[in-house]
Amino acid sequence: MKKLFVFITLFFLFSCQDGPRAAFNEEFINVNPQKELSFKKLIGQYKLDNDSKKRYGIIDSSSYYIYIKDNELLTNKYINTRTREIQDGFKKNIYYVNNYKEKSPLIFIGVRNHEKDDFYSDIAIYYRKKDSILALYIYTPPLKGQENGDYLRYIKVK
């Protein structure tokens, strides 16, 4: 009886999902904010992964890219965070925070968004465990009637 109780308890603990679905992918881990990550390593092209496309119901076969260069972020298309509709690309100024020497270190990419459009403001940086490829996680708030928001995951390709 004790073994059955332990098994049932563990089953319920591991089957809980009390947050955004993409955040629980064990292949990716947060970049350590206590270590330096140079902005040069972030420069490049990131492609929206198939898991994100499936979760957001994107059925077209075209690719969605984010390009980071100098102090700019460019997209060919993006997903509106409020309506989940596909929008044409744009160019935004960005800033990079990596205060790894501070008492409470932070690491993220921020988008200077003066127009208050429906694009993300802070972008979390992750690594894929198996090959240390960088990934950008972009939070999208819940739509009306949804409990939780979700994440779009862009994986570095170049």
Side-chain angles (χ1 to χ4, degrees), residues 8-157:
I8 290 172
T9 304
L10 289 174
F11 175 76
F12 282 115
L13 283 174
F14 288 115
S15 64
C16 289
Q17 284 208 356
D18 51 0
R21 290 173 288 186
F24 291 102
N25 188 321
E26 294 177 6
E27 293 179 48
F28 295 87
I29 57 172
N30 276 332
V31 169
N32 186 348
Q34 296 174 331
K35 293 186 179 179
E36 182 179 15
L37 175 65
S38 75
F39 185 73
K40 281 186 172 188
K41 289 184 180 180
L42 294 171
I43 293 174
Q45 178 180 344
Y46 297 79
K47 182 178 178 184
L48 185 65
D49 74 344
N50 290 330
D51 177 55
S52 294
K53 282 184 172 184
K54 186 167 52 171
R55 284 182 295 97
Y56 280 80
I58 300 170
I59 54 175
D60 67 6
S61 60
S62 55
S63 297
Y64 295 75
Y65 289 100
I66 289 178
Y67 303 92
I68 294 178
K69 63 178 200 172
D70 302 326
N71 66 341
E72 293 178 331
L73 180 138
L74 299 98
T75 67
N76 65 335
K77 295 180 184 182
Y78 75 99
I79 297 158
N80 182 307
T81 60
R82 292 191 186 148
T83 65
R84 304 299 202 283
E85 293 175 356
I86 297 167
Q87 306 284 315
D88 289 332
F90 63 81
K91 177 169 66 171
K92 297 280 184 193
N93 288 327
I94 59 172
Y95 56 94
Y96 176 55
V97 174
N98 184 5
N99 58 357
Y100 63 97
K101 293 180 181 179
E102 299 293 322
K103 187 175 181 180
S104 299
L106 291 170
I107 186 166
F108 66 90
I109 298 169
V111 177
R112 296 187 203 286
N113 197 358
H114 304 294
E115 298 92 36
K116 299 290 183 209
D117 57 19
D118 299 319
F119 189 68
Y120 354 98
S121 58
D122 295 338
I123 301 171
I125 305 166
Y126 282 71
Y127 277 116
R128 187 165 50 195
K129 285 182 185 178
K130 69 180 179 182
D131 54 13
S132 297
I133 296 291
L134 289 169
L136 304 177
Y137 273 54
I138 300 166
Y139 175 73
T140 57
L143 293 174
K144 215 175 218 182
Q146 290 181 338
E147 248 181 80
N148 299 309
D150 207 343
Y151 285 84
L152 294 163
R153 182 175 45 235
Y154 287 83
I155 301 172
K156 189 169 184 178
V157 291

Side-chain angles (χ1 to χ4, degrees), residues 1-8:
M1 192 67 172
K2 289 181 185 177
K3 287 181 183 179
L4 181 61
F5 178 73
V6 169
F7 174 75
I8 290 172

